Amino acid sequence: MKQKRRHSMIRNFVHKSKQASCSSKGEFSLTVFNAKMNPRANIVLILTDDLDVSIGGMIPLVKTKKLIGDAGITFTNTFVASPLCCPSRASILTGKYPHNHHVVNNTLEGNCSSTAWQKTQEPETFPAFLQKQGTYQTFFAGKYLNEYGNKKAGGVEHVPPGWDHWFALERNSKYYNYTLSVNGRAQRHGQNYSEDYLTDVLANISIDFLENKSNRRPFFMMVSTPAPHSPWTAAPQYESSFPNTEAPRDPNFNIHGKDKHWLIRQAKTPMTNSSVEFLDNAYRKRWRTLLSVDDLVEKVVRKLEVRGELSNTYVIFTSDNGYHTGQFSLPVDKRQLYEFDIRVPLLVRGPNIKPNQTSPLLIANVDLGPTILDIAGYNVNETQMDGMSFLPIMTSKGNSSTWRSDILVEYEGEGSNTSDPACPLLGPGVSECFPDCVCEDSYNNTYACVRTVAQAANLQYCEFDDNEVFVEVYNLTADPFQLSNIAKSIDQEVLEKMNHRLMMLQSCSGQSCRTPGVYDSQFRFDPRLMFSSLVPHRTKRRQTLK
């Protein structure tokens, strides 16, 4: 009875947007007609939480790869603007780099779902533009921003502009015992699997929306799963899956991170047996939670197919950041500049996208908003978004040779003002510390990087805002696991160009973020814009908007 009441509530809520009800047979016929006649495609964005692509995160998602990747295009060089949930999600929603949307961490003080964010940035998100346009009906279900629902910022009563149907998780990822904001009203869930397991609840809400939405307008649907974020709670039927799976023993697993910034150097190598056992167990648990995501994808795609809408719907699958489990002897987390934390999956199927495509072009998550707006017929140049639409790339209407060669990655570290009593030698300024006094973050884990993917180069150039003014440079072609920092051996002219490019990207806004990069043929390096000597540009501490 409890579950029936909840689903009835969802159906009634969605029905408010319908002009009139109709039988399932009539509804199906109307949908098929609209799919043929409506010039606007539907859009579905499925966003996972902490799903890597570099250390095997996509392996359990067999159905997702078949139903989206094999049926469309897989981008192999997709990166996030910041390897942390809230800044990254803010970049997805706004199409902006962190220095422009001002969300720097997962706290209210870091502008995560703060009143300042709500006032200055939420009205400029791509769903807000879709709603203003009036063509699309919009739907959200799942994790929004980490501090969403905080009573200091409006609580769950706050429904961001842009959403006709709103089913948002209060705060951070959970699987049981959570609260959803159902169009601004609190709906509490317990720990009964059949009624409350969040990934499945999101799947059911999504299917209800597809069944009961208006068929007179195209739709945009965003489903944001908790998986595979901690606490890594699997559905009961998957609790015993992958019993022998271990975290990948890649060349950068459980080794000392030499020639890297101090936070990496402080990790203990080799890790203790108990630490390795812990992260292997975490790796298995993460995979188990993904099996329910795979089910969700299948349910959504099959429902679109049954309704005759799949051929006119773009389905996008990605993640807010990557993850690591033992790389450079760091236990489990994100927040670092390396491939395992900043590279994410991106799979898309939809109208005019040929199946079984793979693209090596450089995509950033700031490109998702512009691409969705482009699909919807909105002029991205009328926004302040930093990203670019990759719709022409997917549909083979664009010129891949003129696509940009570099993007910006930036992160502002967090730390405690007091020392950890268990690790007094580390002093203040660190956070996310494990029992063996290995810390995953610190105040001066603050950096900005240029990530370059071009025919002539596959490079990463990073500068730290720390006492060492540390620089890390990697040639990903020769060193895909980023074992060797070549900052001291690389050609000085290349360093100067990358330093100059980083300064440009850190100060860019809107169209200036899309200008040619160092490895584009149109780029012209002007040494007069350089410092008198090579002094790495230190990231300015950003201030939360008042």
PDB file of all heavy atoms in Angstrom, residues 202-231:
ATOM      1  N   LEU A 202      14.489   5.939  -8.518  1.00  0.00           N
ATOM      2  CA  LEU A 202      14.708   6.873  -9.627  1.00  0.00           C
ATOM      3  C   LEU A 202      14.265   6.265 -10.954  1.00  0.00           C
ATOM      4  O   LEU A 202      13.683   6.954 -11.802  1.00  0.00           O
ATOM      5  CB  LEU A 202      16.169   7.285  -9.699  1.00  0.00           C
ATOM      6  CG  LEU A 202      16.741   8.023  -8.482  1.00  0.00           C
ATOM      7  CD1 LEU A 202      18.203   8.373  -8.708  1.00  0.00           C
ATOM      8  CD2 LEU A 202      15.935   9.270  -8.170  1.00  0.00           C
ATOM      9  N   ALA A 203      14.543   4.981 -11.132  1.00  0.00           N
ATOM     10  CA  ALA A 203      14.104   4.298 -12.354  1.00  0.00           C
ATOM     11  C   ALA A 203      12.576   4.299 -12.449  1.00  0.00           C
ATOM     12  O   ALA A 203      12.000   4.613 -13.504  1.00  0.00           O
ATOM     13  CB  ALA A 203      14.638   2.871 -12.376  1.00  0.00           C
ATOM     14  N   ASN A 204      11.907   4.003 -11.329  1.00  0.00           N
ATOM     15  CA  ASN A 204      10.445   3.949 -11.338  1.00  0.00           C
ATOM     16  C   ASN A 204       9.827   5.321 -11.579  1.00  0.00           C
ATOM     17  O   ASN A 204       8.840   5.452 -12.326  1.00  0.00           O
ATOM     18  CB  ASN A 204       9.939   3.360 -10.021  1.00  0.00           C
ATOM     19  CG  ASN A 204      10.320   1.893  -9.851  1.00  0.00           C
ATOM     20  OD1 ASN A 204      10.543   1.191 -10.839  1.00  0.00           O
ATOM     21  ND2 ASN A 204      10.412   1.438  -8.612  1.00  0.00           N
ATOM     22  N   ILE A 205      10.387   6.349 -10.940  1.00  0.00           N
ATOM     23  CA  ILE A 205       9.880   7.707 -11.144  1.00  0.00           C
ATOM     24  C   ILE A 205      10.048   8.112 -12.603  1.00  0.00           C
ATOM     25  O   ILE A 205       9.163   8.744 -13.205  1.00  0.00           O
ATOM     26  CB  ILE A 205      10.616   8.705 -10.221  1.00  0.00           C
ATOM     27  CG1 ILE A 205      10.303   8.434  -8.748  1.00  0.00           C
ATOM     28  CG2 ILE A 205      10.235  10.147 -10.558  1.00  0.00           C
ATOM     29  CD1 ILE A 205      11.123   9.280  -7.779  1.00  0.00           C
ATOM     30  N   SER A 206      11.192   7.756 -13.185  1.00  0.00           N
ATOM     31  CA  SER A 206      11.470   8.106 -14.588  1.00  0.00           C
ATOM     32  C   SER A 206      10.483   7.431 -15.528  1.00  0.00           C
ATOM     33  O   SER A 206       9.977   8.050 -16.476  1.00  0.00           O
ATOM     34  CB  SER A 206      12.900   7.712 -14.949  1.00  0.00           C
ATOM     35  OG  SER A 206      13.838   8.382 -14.122  1.00  0.00           O
ATOM     36  N   ILE A 207      10.202   6.157 -15.275  1.00  0.00           N
ATOM     37  CA  ILE A 207       9.249   5.426 -16.115  1.00  0.00           C
ATOM     38  C   ILE A 207       7.849   6.026 -15.969  1.00  0.00           C
ATOM     39  O   ILE A 207       7.119   6.182 -16.954  1.00  0.00           O
ATOM     40  CB  ILE A 207       9.241   3.926 -15.740  1.00  0.00           C
ATOM     41  CG1 ILE A 207      10.616   3.302 -15.993  1.00  0.00           C
ATOM     42  CG2 ILE A 207       8.156   3.193 -16.516  1.00  0.00           C
ATOM     43  CD1 ILE A 207      11.160   3.510 -17.381  1.00  0.00           C
ATOM     44  N   ASP A 208       7.473   6.396 -14.740  1.00  0.00           N
ATOM     45  CA  ASP A 208       6.175   7.029 -14.531  1.00  0.00           C
ATOM     46  C   ASP A 208       6.072   8.342 -15.303  1.00  0.00           C
ATOM     47  O   ASP A 208       5.028   8.664 -15.875  1.00  0.00           O
ATOM     48  CB  ASP A 208       5.947   7.291 -13.037  1.00  0.00           C
ATOM     49  CG  ASP A 208       5.569   6.031 -12.275  1.00  0.00           C
ATOM     50  OD1 ASP A 208       5.207   5.040 -12.932  1.00  0.00           O
ATOM     51  OD2 ASP A 208       5.645   6.033 -11.040  1.00  0.00           O
ATOM     52  N   PHE A 209       7.157   9.109 -15.304  1.00  0.00           N
ATOM     53  CA  PHE A 209       7.146  10.363 -16.062  1.00  0.00           C
ATOM     54  C   PHE A 209       6.926  10.097 -17.547  1.00  0.00           C
ATOM     55  O   PHE A 209       6.108  10.757 -18.194  1.00  0.00           O
ATOM     56  CB  PHE A 209       8.447  11.117 -15.841  1.00  0.00           C
ATOM     57  CG  PHE A 209       8.649  12.270 -16.791  1.00  0.00           C
ATOM     58  CD1 PHE A 209       7.918  13.437 -16.650  1.00  0.00           C
ATOM     59  CD2 PHE A 209       9.545  12.184 -17.842  1.00  0.00           C
ATOM     60  CE1 PHE A 209       8.069  14.498 -17.535  1.00  0.00           C
ATOM     61  CE2 PHE A 209       9.721  13.225 -18.736  1.00  0.00           C
ATOM     62  CZ  PHE A 209       8.976  14.397 -18.579  1.00  0.00           C
ATOM     63  N   LEU A 210       7.661   9.131 -18.085  1.00  0.00           N
ATOM     64  CA  LEU A 210       7.535   8.829 -19.511  1.00  0.00           C
ATOM     65  C   LEU A 210       6.132   8.350 -19.860  1.00  0.00           C
ATOM     66  O   LEU A 210       5.626   8.624 -20.956  1.00  0.00           O
ATOM     67  CB  LEU A 210       8.574   7.781 -19.916  1.00  0.00           C
ATOM     68  CG  LEU A 210      10.039   8.236 -19.874  1.00  0.00           C
ATOM     69  CD1 LEU A 210      10.979   7.065 -20.168  1.00  0.00           C
ATOM     70  CD2 LEU A 210      10.283   9.374 -20.860  1.00  0.00           C
ATOM     71  N   GLU A 211       5.486   7.658 -18.940  1.00  0.00           N
ATOM     72  CA  GLU A 211       4.145   7.149 -19.197  1.00  0.00           C
ATOM     73  C   GLU A 211       3.080   8.235 -19.099  1.00  0.00           C
ATOM     74  O   GLU A 211       2.053   8.177 -19.785  1.00  0.00           O
ATOM     75  CB  GLU A 211       3.798   6.027 -18.204  1.00  0.00           C
ATOM     76  CG  GLU A 211       4.528   4.729 -18.462  1.00  0.00           C
ATOM     77  CD  GLU A 211       4.150   3.653 -17.461  1.00  0.00           C
ATOM     78  OE1 GLU A 211       3.553   4.003 -16.411  1.00  0.00           O
ATOM     79  OE2 GLU A 211       4.450   2.475 -17.711  1.00  0.00           O
ATOM     80  N   ASN A 212       3.321   9.246 -18.257  1.00  0.00           N
ATOM     81  CA  ASN A 212       2.253  10.187 -17.918  1.00  0.00           C
ATOM     82  C   ASN A 212       2.505  11.626 -18.354  1.00  0.00           C
ATOM     83  O   ASN A 212       1.663  12.488 -18.125  1.00  0.00           O
ATOM     84  CB  ASN A 212       2.024  10.164 -16.403  1.00  0.00           C
ATOM     85  CG  ASN A 212       1.503   8.825 -15.925  1.00  0.00           C
ATOM     86  OD1 ASN A 212       0.349   8.480 -16.146  1.00  0.00           O
ATOM     87  ND2 ASN A 212       2.370   8.054 -15.281  1.00  0.00           N
ATOM     88  N   LYS A 213       3.637  11.895 -18.996  1.00  0.00           N
ATOM     89  CA  LYS A 213       3.947  13.251 -19.451  1.00  0.00           C
ATOM     90  C   LYS A 213       3.015  13.671 -20.576  1.00  0.00           C
ATOM     91  O   LYS A 213       2.296  12.861 -21.160  1.00  0.00           O
ATOM     92  CB  LYS A 213       5.398  13.309 -19.936  1.00  0.00           C
ATOM     93  CG  LYS A 213       5.657  12.438 -21.156  1.00  0.00           C
ATOM     94  CD  LYS A 213       7.075  12.520 -21.635  1.00  0.00           C
ATOM     95  CE  LYS A 213       7.322  11.532 -22.765  1.00  0.00           C
ATOM     96  NZ  LYS A 213       6.452  11.771 -23.936  1.00  0.00           N
ATOM     97  N   SER A 214       3.091  14.943 -20.900  1.00  0.00           N
ATOM     98  CA  SER A 214       2.375  15.431 -22.070  1.00  0.00           C
ATOM     99  C   SER A 214       3.056  14.920 -23.334  1.00  0.00           C
ATOM    100  O   SER A 214       4.287  14.861 -23.404  1.00  0.00           O
ATOM    101  CB  SER A 214       2.376  16.959 -22.083  1.00  0.00           C
ATOM    102  OG  SER A 214       1.956  17.456 -23.343  1.00  0.00           O
ATOM    103  N   ASN A 215       2.274  14.558 -24.315  1.00  0.00           N
ATOM    104  CA  ASN A 215       2.849  14.115 -25.589  1.00  0.00           C
ATOM    105  C   ASN A 215       2.844  15.225 -26.637  1.00  0.00           C
ATOM    106  O   ASN A 215       3.175  14.988 -27.794  1.00  0.00           O
ATOM    107  CB  ASN A 215       2.057  12.914 -26.119  1.00  0.00           C
ATOM    108  CG  ASN A 215       2.256  11.691 -25.250  1.00  0.00           C
ATOM    109  OD1 ASN A 215       3.371  11.389 -24.855  1.00  0.00           O
ATOM    110  ND2 ASN A 215       1.166  11.014 -24.929  1.00  0.00           N
ATOM    111  N   ARG A 216       2.468  16.408 -26.205  1.00  0.00           N
ATOM    112  CA  ARG A 216       2.388  17.523 -27.155  1.00  0.00           C
ATOM    113  C   ARG A 216       3.690  18.324 -27.238  1.00  0.00           C
ATOM    114  O   ARG A 216       3.820  19.185 -28.110  1.00  0.00           O
ATOM    115  CB  ARG A 216       1.243  18.454 -26.748  1.00  0.00           C
ATOM    116  CG  ARG A 216      -0.101  17.749 -26.737  1.00  0.00           C
ATOM    117  CD  ARG A 216      -1.235  18.721 -26.491  1.00  0.00           C
ATOM    118  NE  ARG A 216      -2.524  18.022 -26.490  1.00  0.00           N
ATOM    119  CZ  ARG A 216      -3.692  18.647 -26.413  1.00  0.00           C
ATOM    120  NH1 ARG A 216      -3.739  19.969 -26.339  1.00  0.00           N
ATOM    121  NH2 ARG A 216      -4.804  17.946 -26.412  1.00  0.00           N
ATOM    122  N   ARG A 217       4.587  18.069 -26.312  1.00  0.00           N
ATOM    123  CA  ARG A 217       5.854  18.797 -26.315  1.00  0.00           C
ATOM    124  C   ARG A 217       7.004  17.821 -26.126  1.00  0.00           C
ATOM    125  O   ARG A 217       6.854  16.794 -25.451  1.00  0.00           O
ATOM    126  CB  ARG A 217       5.886  19.826 -25.175  1.00  0.00           C
ATOM    127  CG  ARG A 217       4.930  20.988 -25.328  1.00  0.00           C
ATOM    128  CD  ARG A 217       5.279  22.074 -24.313  1.00  0.00           C
ATOM    129  NE  ARG A 217       5.065  21.634 -22.951  1.00  0.00           N
ATOM    130  CZ  ARG A 217       5.663  22.169 -21.876  1.00  0.00           C
ATOM    131  NH1 ARG A 217       6.538  23.148 -22.045  1.00  0.00           N
ATOM    132  NH2 ARG A 217       5.401  21.731 -20.668  1.00  0.00           N
ATOM    133  N   PRO A 218       8.177  18.114 -26.678  1.00  0.00           N
ATOM    134  CA  PRO A 218       9.347  17.275 -26.393  1.00  0.00           C
ATOM    135  C   PRO A 218       9.744  17.427 -24.930  1.00  0.00           C
ATOM    136  O   PRO A 218       9.303  18.361 -24.252  1.00  0.00           O
ATOM    137  CB  PRO A 218      10.419  17.842 -27.330  1.00  0.00           C
ATOM    138  CG  PRO A 218      10.014  19.261 -27.541  1.00  0.00           C
ATOM    139  CD  PRO A 218       8.503  19.262 -27.539  1.00  0.00           C
ATOM    140  N   PHE A 219      10.570  16.524 -24.449  1.00  0.00           N
ATOM    141  CA  PHE A 219      10.947  16.565 -23.038  1.00  0.00           C
ATOM    142  C   PHE A 219      12.461  16.502 -22.869  1.00  0.00           C
ATOM    143  O   PHE A 219      13.184  15.965 -23.712  1.00  0.00           O
ATOM    144  CB  PHE A 219      10.288  15.418 -22.262  1.00  0.00           C
ATOM    145  CG  PHE A 219      10.764  14.040 -22.659  1.00  0.00           C
ATOM    146  CD1 PHE A 219      11.896  13.472 -22.079  1.00  0.00           C
ATOM    147  CD2 PHE A 219      10.078  13.302 -23.617  1.00  0.00           C
ATOM    148  CE1 PHE A 219      12.342  12.210 -22.448  1.00  0.00           C
ATOM    149  CE2 PHE A 219      10.508  12.043 -23.991  1.00  0.00           C
ATOM    150  CZ  PHE A 219      11.640  11.496 -23.406  1.00  0.00           C
ATOM    151  N   PHE A 220      12.903  17.075 -21.757  1.00  0.00           N
ATOM    152  CA  PHE A 220      14.269  16.871 -21.279  1.00  0.00           C
ATOM    153  C   PHE A 220      14.174  16.196 -19.919  1.00  0.00           C
ATOM    154  O   PHE A 220      13.474  16.679 -19.022  1.00  0.00           O
ATOM    155  CB  PHE A 220      15.040  18.179 -21.143  1.00  0.00           C
ATOM    156  CG  PHE A 220      16.332  18.002 -20.380  1.00  0.00           C
ATOM    157  CD1 PHE A 220      17.394  17.313 -20.955  1.00  0.00           C
ATOM    158  CD2 PHE A 220      16.470  18.459 -19.079  1.00  0.00           C
ATOM    159  CE1 PHE A 220      18.578  17.100 -20.246  1.00  0.00           C
ATOM    160  CE2 PHE A 220      17.652  18.250 -18.365  1.00  0.00           C
ATOM    161  CZ  PHE A 220      18.707  17.577 -18.958  1.00  0.00           C
ATOM    162  N   MET A 221      14.875  15.085 -19.766  1.00  0.00           N
ATOM    163  CA  MET A 221      14.843  14.318 -18.528  1.00  0.00           C
ATOM    164  C   MET A 221      16.263  14.106 -18.032  1.00  0.00           C
ATOM    165  O   MET A 221      17.122  13.628 -18.772  1.00  0.00           O
ATOM    166  CB  MET A 221      14.160  12.960 -18.767  1.00  0.00           C
ATOM    167  CG  MET A 221      14.018  12.117 -17.505  1.00  0.00           C
ATOM    168  SD  MET A 221      12.923  10.693 -17.729  1.00  0.00           S
ATOM    169  CE  MET A 221      13.974   9.604 -18.658  1.00  0.00           C
ATOM    170  N   MET A 222      16.520  14.485 -16.775  1.00  0.00           N
ATOM    171  CA  MET A 222      17.823  14.264 -16.161  1.00  0.00           C
ATOM    172  C   MET A 222      17.660  13.336 -14.972  1.00  0.00           C
ATOM    173  O   MET A 222      16.888  13.609 -14.054  1.00  0.00           O
ATOM    174  CB  MET A 222      18.446  15.584 -15.709  1.00  0.00           C
ATOM    175  CG  MET A 222      19.831  15.447 -15.111  1.00  0.00           C
ATOM    176  SD  MET A 222      20.588  17.084 -14.815  1.00  0.00           S
ATOM    177  CE  MET A 222      22.139  16.585 -14.038  1.00  0.00           C
ATOM    178  N   VAL A 223      18.368  12.219 -15.002  1.00  0.00           N
ATOM    179  CA  VAL A 223      18.318  11.229 -13.928  1.00  0.00           C
ATOM    180  C   VAL A 223      19.724  11.114 -13.349  1.00  0.00           C
ATOM    181  O   VAL A 223      20.673  10.785 -14.055  1.00  0.00           O
ATOM    182  CB  VAL A 223      17.840   9.859 -14.445  1.00  0.00           C
ATOM    183  CG1 VAL A 223      17.660   8.893 -13.279  1.00  0.00           C
ATOM    184  CG2 VAL A 223      16.547  10.000 -15.223  1.00  0.00           C
ATOM    185  N   SER A 224      19.848  11.405 -12.062  1.00  0.00           N
ATOM    186  CA  SER A 224      21.158  11.498 -11.419  1.00  0.00           C
ATOM    187  C   SER A 224      21.261  10.468 -10.300  1.00  0.00           C
ATOM    188  O   SER A 224      20.713  10.656  -9.210  1.00  0.00           O
ATOM    189  CB  SER A 224      21.348  12.920 -10.871  1.00  0.00           C
ATOM    190  OG  SER A 224      22.607  13.087 -10.290  1.00  0.00           O
ATOM    191  N   THR A 225      21.933   9.369 -10.569  1.00  0.00           N
ATOM    192  CA  THR A 225      21.964   8.235  -9.635  1.00  0.00           C
ATOM    193  C   THR A 225      22.968   8.463  -8.502  1.00  0.00           C
ATOM    194  O   THR A 225      23.931   9.196  -8.656  1.00  0.00           O
ATOM    195  CB  THR A 225      22.360   6.935 -10.356  1.00  0.00           C
ATOM    196  OG1 THR A 225      23.768   6.977 -10.663  1.00  0.00           O
ATOM    197  CG2 THR A 225      21.578   6.756 -11.644  1.00  0.00           C
ATOM    198  N   PRO A 226      22.766   7.807  -7.360  1.00  0.00           N
ATOM    199  CA  PRO A 226      23.759   7.876  -6.283  1.00  0.00           C
ATOM    200  C   PRO A 226      24.994   7.041  -6.586  1.00  0.00           C
ATOM    201  O   PRO A 226      26.075   7.320  -6.080  1.00  0.00           O
ATOM    202  CB  PRO A 226      23.001   7.316  -5.077  1.00  0.00           C
ATOM    203  CG  PRO A 226      22.035   6.350  -5.680  1.00  0.00           C
ATOM    204  CD  PRO A 226      21.599   6.989  -6.986  1.00  0.00           C
ATOM    205  N   ALA A 227      24.840   6.018  -7.369  1.00  0.00           N
ATOM    206  CA  ALA A 227      25.922   5.073  -7.635  1.00  0.00           C
ATOM    207  C   ALA A 227      26.924   5.653  -8.617  1.00  0.00           C
ATOM    208  O   ALA A 227      26.563   6.444  -9.491  1.00  0.00           O
ATOM    209  CB  ALA A 227      25.337   3.769  -8.191  1.00  0.00           C
ATOM    210  N   PRO A 228      28.206   5.234  -8.477  1.00  0.00           N
ATOM    211  CA  PRO A 228      28.743   4.324  -7.464  1.00  0.00           C
ATOM    212  C   PRO A 228      29.373   5.027  -6.260  1.00  0.00           C
ATOM    213  O   PRO A 228      30.387   4.594  -5.712  1.00  0.00           O
ATOM    214  CB  PRO A 228      29.811   3.558  -8.239  1.00  0.00           C
ATOM    215  CG  PRO A 228      30.364   4.598  -9.188  1.00  0.00           C
ATOM    216  CD  PRO A 228      29.182   5.463  -9.579  1.00  0.00           C
ATOM    217  N   HIS A 229      28.802   6.166  -5.841  1.00  0.00           N
ATOM    218  CA  HIS A 229      29.320   6.916  -4.689  1.00  0.00           C
ATOM    219  C   HIS A 229      29.168   6.096  -3.405  1.00  0.00           C
ATOM    220  O   HIS A 229      28.264   5.266  -3.291  1.00  0.00           O
ATOM    221  CB  HIS A 229      28.539   8.227  -4.578  1.00  0.00           C
ATOM    222  CG  HIS A 229      29.142   9.259  -3.680  1.00  0.00           C
ATOM    223  ND1 HIS A 229      29.126   9.162  -2.306  1.00  0.00           N
ATOM    224  CD2 HIS A 229      29.793  10.419  -3.964  1.00  0.00           C
ATOM    225  CE1 HIS A 229      29.718  10.225  -1.786  1.00  0.00           C
ATOM    226  NE2 HIS A 229      30.136  11.006  -2.776  1.00  0.00           N
ATOM    227  N   SER A 230      30.046   6.348  -2.434  1.00  0.00           N
ATOM    228  CA  SER A 230      29.881   5.734  -1.113  1.00  0.00           C
ATOM    229  C   SER A 230      28.529   6.156  -0.533  1.00  0.00           C
ATOM    230  O   SER A 230      28.025   7.219  -0.878  1.00  0.00           O
ATOM    231  CB  SER A 230      31.020   6.172  -0.192  1.00  0.00           C
ATOM    232  OG  SER A 230      30.981   7.583  -0.008  1.00  0.00           O
ATOM    233  N   PRO A 231      27.885   5.317   0.284  1.00  0.00           N
ATOM    234  CA  PRO A 231      28.411   4.160   1.008  1.00  0.00           C
ATOM    235  C   PRO A 231      28.365   2.830   0.252  1.00  0.00           C
ATOM    236  O   PRO A 231      28.430   1.773   0.892  1.00  0.00           O
ATOM    237  CB  PRO A 231      27.506   4.110   2.235  1.00  0.00           C
ATOM    238  CG  PRO A 231      26.188   4.647   1.751  1.00  0.00           C
ATOM    239  CD  PRO A 231      26.535   5.703   0.759  1.00  0.00           C
TER     240      PRO A 231
END
